[in-house]
């Protein structure tokens, strides 16, 4: 029987499509470590793996099972660059820093592909991504983006698609035009989590599931992490909880906001070969992004409904099916075999949040829906930092990430109002 995540609604197709995933024991009693890691998603597991293989005594804990959060339940799309387009970042941080941030993200892409290849992790990588527009008014911007990426940022893998090509590649005439990215792709995220946890354990990391961190503090020159199963004493620590930070650490909680995102998996599209015939993943131009792709066995995996609270809808499938039908009318009554949600960590400017929140304690998160590549790479970069190596992690530390307004009491309500307004604009 498939495992039901206690922190995320619905049983995902990812969970159901893999053999029973390995489990790891809870922590038993207090322990000491050189480095403690809180959070067993991509960021935390990569940090633990890269530290352990260099002989560092590392202890990692997760409140649930590895993959119960966003790392095992996301849309699986890599994307290219940071969450914002490189030319938009350039307006905020300048030409040189925008290039460095873009290069960092491209290095992240290569790192994940190389890691999976080196360790024979079949994460079902499929190349290609289509970014499509639901508004005619964005055509000049899309065409210019293709030119800028090739001419100024050294990325020649984009091509503009007119309406006809977009319709052929999507198998739908719903969108006006788009950009095809031949330099990226999509994966099965749970398979990467499973393989990554295995490699971390083989490297010698002490990794524990179902061990919740209750409090983190620094006293007497060491970091103390209280859990329900004992206390971890460490020289330094990484907080890699992202959207699941809760009340553990207030600085992170003020800067990284959790929102729900939902995905549905259809039956195999045997009778609809024209849907995404090239196998690319898709994201669209809406503020409330619709993102979809086909699985290796031919299902449509469609994400598009967000909720700006921690609540879960009673019926995920009907909302997802309605959005599928808008794009693919022939699939309006398609059976959805699995429907699930997860929590995404976003920041105000949709850029990652990386800070030293107390001496020896670093937090990394807020990937804002662009974390499949970045979270893995940031875990590796944190390990480099702890090992005293040169690392571009300072590029993220220097980003100006404001706290969400409204404090702990009102920030969720204010975010709901703001994002609901943007969602309304998507319809205009």
């Amino acid at each position: 029987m498939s495992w039901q995540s206690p922190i995320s609604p619905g049983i995902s197709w990812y969970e159901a499509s893999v053999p029973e995933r390995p489990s790891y024991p809870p922590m038993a009693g207090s322990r000491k470590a050189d480095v403690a890691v809180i959070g067993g998603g991509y960021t935390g597991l990569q940090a633990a793996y890269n530290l352990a293989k260099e002989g560092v005594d590392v202890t990692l804990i997760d409140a649930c099972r590895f993959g119960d959060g966003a790392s095992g339940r996301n849309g699986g799309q890599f994307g290219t660059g940071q969450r914002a387009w490189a030319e938009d970042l350039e307006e905020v941080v300048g030409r040189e820093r925008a290039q460095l941030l873009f290069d960092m993200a491209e290095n992240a892409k290569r790192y994940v592909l190389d890691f999976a290849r080196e360790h024979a992790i079949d994460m079902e990588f499929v190349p290609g991504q289509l970014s499509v527009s639901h508004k005619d008014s964005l055509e000049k911007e899309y065409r210019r983006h293709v030119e800028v990426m090739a001419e100024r940022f050294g990325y020649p893998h984009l091509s503009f698609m007119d309406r006809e090509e977009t319709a052929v590649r999507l198998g739908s005439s719903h969108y006006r035009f788009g950009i095809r990215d031949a330099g990226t792709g999509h994966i099965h995220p749970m398979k990467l989590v499973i393989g990554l946890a295995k490699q971390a354990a083989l490297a010698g990391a002490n990794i524990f599931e179902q061990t919740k961190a209750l409090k983190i503090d620094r006293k007497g020159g060491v970091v103390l992490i209280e859990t329900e199963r004992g206390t971890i004493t460490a020289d330094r620590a990484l907080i890699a909880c992202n959207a699941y930070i809760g009340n553990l650490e207030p600085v992170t909680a003020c800067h990284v906001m959790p929102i729900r995102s939902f995905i549905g998996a259809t039956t195999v599209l045997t009778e609809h070969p024209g849907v995404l015939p090239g196998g690319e993943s898709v994201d669209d131009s809406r503020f409330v992004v619709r993102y979809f792709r086909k699985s290796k066995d031919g299902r449509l995996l469609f994400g598009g409904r967000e909720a700006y609270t921690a609540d879960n809808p009673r019926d995920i499938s009907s909302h997802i099916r309605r959005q599928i039908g808008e794009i693919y009318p022939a699939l309006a009554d398609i059976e959805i075999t699995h429907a699930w949600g997860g929590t995404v960590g976003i920041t105000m400017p949709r850029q990652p949040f990386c800070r030293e929140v107390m001496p020896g304690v670093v937090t990394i998160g807020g990937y804002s829906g662009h974390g499949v590549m970045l979270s893995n790479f940031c875990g590796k970069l944190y390990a480099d930092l702890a090992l005293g190596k040169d690392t571009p992690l300072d590029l993220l530390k220097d980003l100006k990430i404001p706290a969400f307004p409204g404090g702990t009491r009102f920030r969720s309500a204010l975010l709901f109002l703001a994002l609901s307004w943007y969602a309304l604009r998507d319809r205009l």
Side-chain angles (χ1 to χ4, degrees):
M1 180 177 179
S2 296
W3 167 262
Q4 171 63 65
S5 167
I7 58 172
S8 304
I11 294 176
S12 76
W13 175 80
Y14 302 132
E15 175 76 34
S17 68
V18 299
E20 186 172 351
R21 54 178 159 135
S23 60
Y24 297 86
M27 193 175 78
S30 298
R31 53 187 303 122
K32 294 182 178 180
D34 297 329
V35 180
V37 178
I38 306 173
Y42 292 146
T43 304
L45 287 170
Q46 282 286 357
Y49 162 77
N50 281 281
L51 288 166
K53 76 173 186 174
E54 297 297 326
V56 176
D57 183 359
V58 56
T59 291
L60 177 148
I61 58 172
D62 192 277
C64 299
R65 293 185 65 188
F66 307 143
D68 275 358
S71 292
R73 301 170 70 86
N74 62 74
Q77 299 190 19
F78 269 18
T80 286
Q82 301 285 339
R83 175 68 169 79
W85 280 0
E87 59 267 39
D88 295 334
L89 265 181
E90 183 178 352
E91 293 182 5
V92 178
V93 301
R95 176 72 185 88
E96 181 180 1
R97 192 165 293 271
Q99 183 72 61
L100 290 172
L101 285 164
F102 178 79
D103 292 344
M104 175 185 178
E106 285 303 288
N107 288 334
K109 186 188 296 181
R110 285 187 286 272
Y111 174 78
V112 178
L113 292 173
D114 290 345
F115 180 85
R117 189 179 303 112
E118 178 184 353
H119 299 291
I121 299 172
D122 179 19
M123 60 180 187
E124 299 184 4
F125 176 76
V126 177
Q129 182 163 329
L130 312 176
S131 296
V132 294
S133 176
H134 72 299
K135 290 184 177 182
D136 290 322
S137 60
L138 297 176
E139 181 173 353
K140 183 177 180 180
E141 183 177 339
Y142 272 51
R143 288 185 181 275
R144 179 60 179 155
H145 179 60
V146 173
E147 297 173 0
V148 167
M149 293 307 296
E151 296 171 3
R152 294 224 311 272
F153 288 90
Y155 190 79
H157 306 296
L158 303 183
S159 58
F160 181 81
M161 303 183 301
D162 61 18
R163 188 159 194 163
E164 181 179 358
E165 181 181 355
T166 300
V168 170
R169 291 194 180 278
L170 285 181
S172 167
S173 58
H174 181 74
Y175 290 98
R176 273 59 168 181
F177 48 83
I179 294 171
R180 181 169 182 257
D181 188 344
T184 190
H186 54 96
I187 67 167
H188 188 303
M190 182 63 83
K191 287 192 173 183
L192 179 56
V193 172
I194 292 171
L196 176 52
K198 178 182 178 181
Q199 293 305 314
L202 288 173
N206 303 295
I207 59 176
F208 302 103
E209 295 181 322
Q210 301 185 59
T211 304
K212 184 176 182 178
L214 303 175
K215 183 180 180 182
I216 181 169
D217 201 359
R218 186 171 184 93
K219 294 180 180 178
V222 296
V223 180
L224 299 174
I225 302 171
E226 295 181 16
T227 81
E228 51 199 3
R229 300 181 181 275
T231 299
I232 304 171
T233 304
D235 296 328
R236 59 200 306 165
L238 169 65
I239 299 174
C241 302
N242 200 17
Y244 295 92
I245 188 65
N247 297 318
L248 179 64
E249 197 286 306
V251 176
T252 308
C254 287
H255 290 81
V256 178
M257 177 74 75
I259 64 171
R260 291 292 203 195
S261 186
F262 303 94
I263 303 175
T266 71
T267 54
V268 177
L269 302 181
T270 306
E271 299 179 3
H272 303 278
V275 174
L276 296 175
E280 299 97 340
S281 58
V282 184
D283 67 281
D284 77 5
S285 56
R286 288 176 171 86
F287 186 85
V288 182
V289 179
R290 296 181 183 181
Y291 53 97
F292 48 99
R293 63 194 184 93
K294 283 202 297 190
S295 63
K296 190 175 182 179
D297 67 349
R299 302 168 185 270
L300 183 65
L301 307 181
F302 190 100
R305 184 180 188 275
E306 293 182 354
Y308 309 123
T309 70
D311 298 331
N312 299 315
R314 293 181 179 179
D315 181 10
I316 300 173
S317 297
S318 62
H319 295 280
I320 295 297
R321 187 183 294 107
R322 183 169 63 249
Q323 292 183 343
I324 291 174
E326 291 176 10
I327 300 171
Y328 296 105
L331 303 182
D333 297 319
I334 192 76
E335 178 187 355
I336 293 181
T337 61
H338 299 80
W340 68 98
T343 304
V344 181
I346 67 169
T347 65
M348 286 279 284
R350 300 298 191 273
Q351 296 165 356
F353 180 70
C354 177
R355 294 290 186 277
E356 185 175 49
V357 293
M358 62 183 75
V361 180
V362 171
T363 186
I364 309 177
Y367 301 109
S368 302
H370 207 66
V372 176
M373 300 181 313
L374 289 176
S375 59
N376 276 277
F377 197 50
C378 282
K380 191 263 184 191
L381 294 182
Y382 172 80
D384 289 345
L385 177 70
L387 292 165
K389 299 180 181 180
D390 290 335
T391 169
L393 205 57
D394 283 344
L395 286 171
L396 300 184
K397 288 183 178 181
D398 291 342
L399 290 173
K400 291 179 172 57
I401 311 293
F404 281 91
T408 56
R409 186 176 181 182
F410 296 111
R411 63 194 178 107
S412 293
L414 290 173
L415 180 71
F416 174 81
L417 291 173
L419 297 186
S420 295
W421 163 248
Y422 281 110
L424 178 63
R425 288 181 60 187
D426 283 339
R427 303 172 189 171
L428 302 179

